[in-house]
């Protein structure tokens, strides 16, 4: 009994020492915690905070009663959605657009990064890089306005080019068969240049001696 009591006391003392040591480390490195605080609160407020509203999917939401006051309905909304007439169309549109974005949006930044990596002229390389990733900093509202202006059947520059080649103007924004292409390509246009920066950083880390060794072994430019 005495041995068990002594063991418990020593365990409590050890835990207290660990807590005091941990708190001492926090106070000694308070600058680091202050530095990480903005990012921590950003994710807490804007990423984890909104997850509180997920419960609305399982309730019969009544605005006057709010989320807490609305009655629970379980999986009724999901059952109604799965049994709806448009479920399979919505599912196919979601999957097809995702695969379309993956097929087009994934290889383009890599190809563009490889192309930039082959450019030796510094000014030209920086100019093209700036032009390609500048759309990333344009807001979605402005981007939508640019797309509408470019694709207008009467005044859009794209349709002017189409007419210049002798074809009839196409109403890209109202024709359903063009929706997926316009949606995916507009996203690629806005995000490809920014994604290229990541691959350029990876390419810059490749040891030049590896390229020299590949040249000695007879590897072509494409193989390198």
């Amino acid at each position: 009994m005495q041995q068990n009591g002594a063991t418990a006391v020593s365990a409590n003392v050890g835990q207290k020492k660990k807590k005091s040591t941990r708190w001492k480390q926090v106070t000694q490195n308070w600058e680091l915690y202050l530095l990480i605080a903005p990012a921590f609160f950003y994710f807490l407020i804007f990423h984890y905070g909104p997850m509180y509203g997920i419960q609305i999917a399982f309730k019969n939401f009544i605005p006057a009663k709010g989320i807490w006051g609305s009655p629970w309905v379980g999986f009724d909304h999901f059952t109604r959605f799965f049994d709806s007439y448009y479920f399979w169309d919505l599912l196919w549109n979601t999957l097809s657009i995702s695969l379309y974005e993956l097929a087009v949006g994934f290889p383009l930044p890599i190809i563009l990064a490889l192309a930039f990596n082959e450019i030796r002229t510094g000014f030209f390389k920086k100019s093209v890089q700036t032009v390609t990733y500048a759309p990333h900093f344009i807001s979605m509202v402005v981007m939508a306005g640019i797309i509408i202006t470019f694709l207008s059947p009467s005044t859009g520059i794209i349709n002017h080019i189409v007419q210049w080649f002798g074809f009839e103007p196409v109403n890209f924004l109202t024709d359903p068969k063009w929706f997926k292409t316009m949606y995916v390509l507009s996203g690629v246009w806005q995000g490809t240049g920014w994604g290229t920066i990541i691959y350029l950083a990876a390419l810059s880390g490749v040891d030049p001696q590896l390229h020299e060794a590949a040249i000695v072994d007879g590897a072509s430019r494409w193989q390198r």
Side-chain angles (χ1 to χ4, degrees):
M1 291 291 292
Q2 292 179 352
Q3 185 177 1
N4 292 336
T7 303
V9 171
S10 61
N12 291 332
V13 172
Q15 290 179 355
K16 290 181 179 179
K17 286 183 178 180
K18 288 182 180 180
K19 290 181 180 179
S20 62
T21 303
R22 189 179 298 114
W23 179 248
K24 186 177 180 180
Q25 291 175 348
V26 172
T27 55
Q28 288 178 346
N29 302 285
W30 64 270
E31 298 95 340
L32 298 177
Y33 290 97
L34 183 64
L35 184 66
I36 202 175
F40 172 77
F41 286 110
Y42 166 78
F43 282 99
L44 182 66
I45 296 172
F46 294 104
H47 289 264
Y48 289 96
M51 293 179 67
Y52 157 80
I54 292 178
Q55 59 181 306
I56 199 174
F58 306 95
K59 289 190 171 188
N60 182 19
F61 179 66
I62 301 173
K65 295 183 178 180
I67 296 178
W68 277 108
S70 300
W72 291 92
V73 294
F75 290 95
D76 287 356
H77 299 315
F78 294 91
T79 303
R80 186 169 65 254
F81 171 67
F82 294 146
D83 293 338
S84 67
Y85 175 78
Y86 297 103
F87 170 72
W88 292 109
D89 290 336
L90 295 173
L91 181 63
W92 166 246
N93 287 335
T94 302
L95 293 177
S96 60
I97 289 175
S98 298
L99 294 174
Y100 196 172
E101 287 181 327
L102 184 63
V104 178
F106 176 72
L108 278 181
I110 301 175
I111 296 172
L112 196 59
L114 290 171
F116 284 159
N117 196 52
E118 295 296 322
I119 299 175
R120 300 306 174 202
T121 306
F123 176 76
F124 178 73
K125 182 178 181 179
K126 291 179 180 179
S127 301
V128 175
Q129 278 184 277
T130 303
V131 171
T132 52
Y133 70 70
H136 175 78
F137 300 98
I138 301 176
S139 68
M140 293 300 297
V141 177
V142 177
M143 183 64 69
I146 294 174
I147 293 172
I148 292 172
T149 303
F150 279 7
L151 300 179
S152 173
S154 57
T155 60
I157 186 173
I158 304 298
N159 273 307
H160 281 314
I161 296 174
V162 171
Q163 288 177 310
W164 186 74
F165 281 101
F167 298 99
E168 292 294 325
V170 180
N171 199 339
F172 295 100
L173 299 177
T174 59
D175 193 343
K177 68 181 181 181
W178 283 101
F179 168 74
K180 292 180 181 178
T181 301
M182 292 298 101
Y183 179 83
V184 172
L185 293 184
S186 61
V188 169
W189 175 36
Q190 189 173 20
T192 297
W194 184 256
T196 302
I197 297 176
I198 300 174
Y199 295 106
L200 274 175
L203 289 172
S204 64
V206 177
D207 191 348
Q209 293 181 356
L210 295 177
H211 288 283
E212 296 174 359
I215 293 173
V216 173
D217 291 337
S220 64
R221 182 176 293 273
W222 175 255
Q223 289 172 335
R224 296 201 307 271

